[in-house]
């Protein structure tokens, strides 16, 4: 994008250098270009990287002031500089102002060319704004949208991790935390009774041992469950990723869904998801889950334009 923008600017300078309409303005064009070109390239590079600088509007205004301000000085040959300016006007401002500014750049070319007695440019320059400006703006917009989608995926994954951690934290607080509080309370009572009532202290110690064993058993059970891959959680994560990628996704589940997901099925599911997410033509996906004989079977059917699609059946 930066190279394409630089090519548009250099083409304009070459046009001024060989112009017969307004000769002798090359040095003025060079000075003006040196003034706005670094800002223009900075904007294009930032947008191509998916970033929107905080002062992008101010930078665009500076480029616009230099470009428009030099039109009366240089003449009709300078009108070509409105092409990259129009492209940034279409990307940097928010709609509907972006469309208004882009259309204004294209429409202004006609009266300006006629005002400088250059009717041959009255058709070329508006067409150039639409073609060259549009061809620069569209990739910048697509790159920005792709970057935003990637950021949304990362945010979605981070939110899923946070929700899972909060769920685990709450479960540990209700089970292990409550057991530890009971153990501490029983220990305090046993310590207080140790001198004046050894028999009661022994009973408290027996209670404490029972609580400790139950807490240990519950902790082991929870750790074992956390190490298993939960099928519904994996399916919800897959559906969320496909939806975040702009793929309309429908999940079809059986009446009885197994709790665990075998590791080989999970690995195969993630490989197929990677293929679907990498195909930009896909628009719809149906995830059908069945459990014949208690064995998990997952069918993914993704469809797109022009009969393009991916269909995979995953079974252990």
């Amino acid at each position: 994008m930066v190279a394409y923008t630089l090519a548009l600017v250099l083409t304009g300078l070459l046009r001024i250098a060989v112009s017969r309409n307004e000769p002798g303005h090359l040095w003025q064009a060079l000075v003006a270009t040196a003034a706005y070109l670094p800002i223009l390239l900075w904007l294009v590079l930032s947008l191509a990287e998916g970033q929107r600088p905080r002062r992008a509007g101010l930078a665009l205004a500076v480029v616009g002031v230099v470009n428009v301000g030099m039109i009366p000085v240089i003449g009709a040959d300078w009108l070509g500089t409105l092409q990259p300016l129009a492209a940034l006007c279409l990307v940097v401002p928010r709609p509907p102002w972006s469309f208004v500014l882009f259309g204004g750049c294209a429409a202004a070319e006609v009266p300006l060319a006629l005002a400088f007695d250059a009717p041959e440019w009255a058709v070329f320059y508006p067409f150039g704004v639409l073609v060259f400006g549009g061809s620069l703006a569209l990739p910048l917009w697509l790159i920005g949208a792709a970057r935003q989608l990637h950021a949304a995926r990362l945010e979605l994954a981070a939110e899923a991790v946070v929700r899972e951690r909060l769920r685990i934290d709450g479960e540990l607080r209700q089970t292990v935390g409550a057991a530890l509080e009971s153990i501490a309370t029983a220990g305090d009572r046993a310590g207080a009774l140790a001198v004046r009532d050894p028999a009661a202290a022994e009973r408290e110690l027996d209670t404490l041992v029972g609580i400790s064993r139950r807490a240990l058993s519950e902790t082991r059970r929870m750790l074992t469950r956390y190490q298993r891959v939960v099928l519904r959680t994996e399916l919800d994560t897959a559906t969320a990723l496909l939806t975040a990628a702009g793929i309309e996704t429908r999940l079809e589940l059986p009446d009885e869904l197994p709790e665990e997901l075998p590791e080989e099925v999970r690995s195969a599911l993630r490989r197929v998801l990677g293929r679907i997410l990498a195909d930009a033509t896909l628009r719809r996906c149906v995830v059908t889950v069945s459990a014949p004989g208690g064995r998990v079977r997952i069918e993914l059917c993704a469809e797109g334009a022009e009969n393009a699609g991916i269909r995979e059946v995953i079974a252990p």
Side-chain angles (χ1 to χ4, degrees):
M1 290 298 96
V2 173
Y4 182 69
T5 305
L6 191 59
L8 288 178
V9 174
L10 294 179
T11 301
L13 290 177
L14 179 62
R15 186 183 304 114
I16 295 174
V18 299
S19 173
R20 297 180 180 178
N21 296 320
E22 300 288 343
H25 292 300
L26 179 60
W27 69 271
Q28 296 167 328
L30 290 174
V31 172
T33 301
Y36 81 86
L37 184 59
I39 303 175
L40 178 69
L41 295 180
W42 171 71
L43 272 175
V44 172
L45 181 61
S46 300
L47 294 171
E49 293 178 349
Q51 303 174 5
R52 187 183 181 88
R54 289 196 323 178
R55 301 190 179 275
L58 178 60
L60 179 62
V62 172
V63 174
V65 168
V66 175
N67 286 353
V68 176
M70 292 301 294
I71 291 176
V73 178
I74 300 178
D77 294 314
W78 184 252
L79 295 178
T81 59
L82 295 183
Q83 295 171 4
L85 176 64
L88 293 181
C89 287
L90 193 58
V91 178
V92 175
R94 304 291 185 185
W97 292 109
S98 58
F99 301 111
V100 172
L101 292 175
F102 182 81
C105 289
E109 297 276 18
V110 177
L112 288 173
L114 296 177
F116 287 104
D117 196 22
E120 66 276 12
W121 297 119
V123 175
F124 173 80
Y125 280 135
F127 183 77
V129 168
L130 296 177
V131 174
F132 299 114
S135 61
L136 175 60
L138 182 59
L140 291 177
W141 181 81
L142 290 176
I143 291 173
R147 297 280 186 174
Q148 290 177 4
L149 177 60
H150 180 67
R153 290 178 183 173
L154 295 180
E155 184 178 356
L156 183 63
E159 289 179 357
V161 171
V162 172
R163 286 195 302 268
E164 184 66 14
R165 287 179 177 176
L166 290 175
R167 186 189 67 81
I168 294 174
D169 181 69
E171 189 172 354
L172 289 175
R173 191 182 299 111
Q174 293 175 2
T175 55
V176 179
L180 291 176
E181 290 179 1
S182 300
I183 291 172
T185 302
D188 291 339
R189 286 198 301 264
L193 295 171
V195 177
R196 66 175 185 272
D197 192 350
E202 185 177 355
R203 288 194 298 272
E204 289 293 337
L205 288 175
D206 290 340
T207 302
L208 187 149
V209 171
I211 295 174
S212 300
R213 287 176 175 173
R214 287 194 298 272
L216 179 60
S217 177
E218 180 67 18
T219 302
R220 287 174 175 171
R221 184 186 64 81
M222 292 173 59
L223 290 176
T224 301
R225 189 173 74 251
Y226 292 153
Q227 291 174 352
R228 298 198 304 259
V229 179
V230 181
L231 173 59
R232 185 55 192 264
T233 301
E234 194 73 17
L235 292 174
D236 290 342
T237 301
T239 303
L241 286 174
L242 293 173
T243 303
I247 301 174
E248 181 183 348
T249 306
R250 187 173 77 253
L251 182 60
E252 298 181 352
L253 300 176
D255 295 334
E256 295 184 2
L257 186 67
E259 181 179 355
E260 295 185 35
L261 178 66
E263 179 63 28
E264 63 273 17
V265 177
R266 183 182 67 162
S267 300
L269 175 61
R270 294 187 175 182
R271 286 196 298 270
V272 177
L273 285 177
R275 290 176 53 198
I276 294 174
L277 292 172
D279 193 337
T281 64
L282 301 180
R283 293 294 178 265
R284 294 172 302 278
C285 182
V286 178
V287 182
T288 305
V289 183
S290 58
R295 298 166 65 89
V296 179
R297 181 179 183 274
I298 304 175
E299 179 179 349
L300 294 96
C301 185
E303 300 177 350
E306 299 179 358
N307 297 324
I310 295 176
R311 184 181 181 275
E312 291 285 345
V313 177
I314 304 171

